Amino acid sequence: MQVSVRDNNVDQALKVLKKKMQREGIFRELKLRKSFEKPSQRRAREKAEAVSRARKMERKRLEREGF
């Protein structure tokens, strides 16, 4: 991942880098890898995330259709 620094503005470059890392899910992955997660807990978390994504997509679909 690369971020270019323009006009010696390192603060702006850091802000852009953090936003890119957030979008990619790097911070979330670091948090999850900090400690061991049992396989059953991982499956439960992934299932909950999938349900959450599905609900969000359904809300957006209904919003687009005007319901």
Side-chain angles (χ1 to χ4, degrees):
M1 192 174 297
Q2 289 184 345
V3 176
S4 60
V5 179
R6 299 181 190 151
D7 302 326
N8 277 339
N9 194 351
V10 177
D11 292 330
Q12 183 66 28
L14 273 174
K15 188 176 181 181
V16 170
L17 177 65
K18 285 182 182 179
K19 190 177 281 191
K20 282 186 176 185
M21 290 173 71
Q22 180 72 30
R23 225 178 274 135
E24 291 291 321
I26 293 174
F27 292 126
R28 183 176 215 208
E29 189 174 335
L30 284 175
K31 183 180 174 185
L32 288 173
R33 289 179 184 229
K34 221 175 240 189
S35 60
F36 179 74
E37 185 178 26
K38 290 173 30 180
S40 60
Q41 291 174 330
R42 182 181 59 84
R43 283 192 300 270
R45 178 183 49 80
E46 288 175 350
K47 185 174 182 178
E49 288 173 354
V51 168
S52 174
R53 278 192 311 272
R55 285 182 181 156
K56 184 177 180 181
M57 286 176 56
E58 183 67 19
R59 277 196 311 267
K60 286 188 176 220
R61 185 185 65 79
L62 289 174
E63 185 179 301
R64 275 194 312 265
E65 293 177 1
F67 286 103

